[in-house]
Amino acid sequence: MAGVLAYLAVIRPRETDGVFVAVFPDIPDLSWEGTDADAVRMEASSKLGSALRAFVSSGKPLPPASEGEGDLIHVPHEIVAKLAVVAAFAASKLPASDLARRLGIPEGEVRKILAPKRETDLGTLAAVLGALGEQLAEQAGEA
């Protein structure tokens, strides 16, 4: 999962007042509105990332991404990496204490890194993936 992650968003003006509303067909509870389509589109990636972190935090699997008409919204790189770390750790069946030893950091720090809603820098996430035998895929367009 440590590559590109994107979901379809449908952004349309509401007929009653012209306010633009964005919905994600694959994530029914995720919608918001704004004064114009560009403003809504600019917020889409952040809103999507927060929603996916909430899925993982509550123990739910990520919904599969469908295809269709609309805007393809990419999840921010940092969130894709965080989701990859959480998934790799769960698959490893390692105790947090073992991962801490592999990384040479306190177990409490590992628990913070594994918290889906807590921000962690990409370098740290890449190191954790490496300790779990995985690697962070380069994102398209990055140098």
Side-chain angles (χ1 to χ4, degrees), residues 4 6 15 33-34 41 52-53 60 70 77-78 83 116 138:
V4 176
E15 289 182 21
E33 55 190 50
R41 199 173 288 110
L52 296 180
R53 281 179 162 184
K60 296 178 186 174
H77 306 312
E78 298 81 11
L83 298 174
E138 285 191 38

Side-chain angles (χ1 to χ4, degrees), residues 104-124:
I105 62 175
E107 184 177 344
E109 287 301 308
V110 167
R111 293 193 184 285
K112 290 176 185 176
I113 292 167
L114 295 173
K117 292 185 179 181
R118 189 177 185 115
E119 291 187 23
T120 308
D121 68 81
L122 277 173
T124 300

Side-chain angles (χ1 to χ4, degrees), residues 10-15 17-23 31-44 47:
V10 178
I11 302 170
R12 294 198 176 113
R14 193 166 40 215
E15 289 182 21
D17 59 9
V19 169
F20 282 80
V21 178
V23 296
S31 67
W32 71 98
E33 55 190 50
T35 56
D36 61 63
D38 288 336
V40 170
R41 199 173 288 110
M42 286 177 56
E43 285 291 317
K47 299 285 186 185

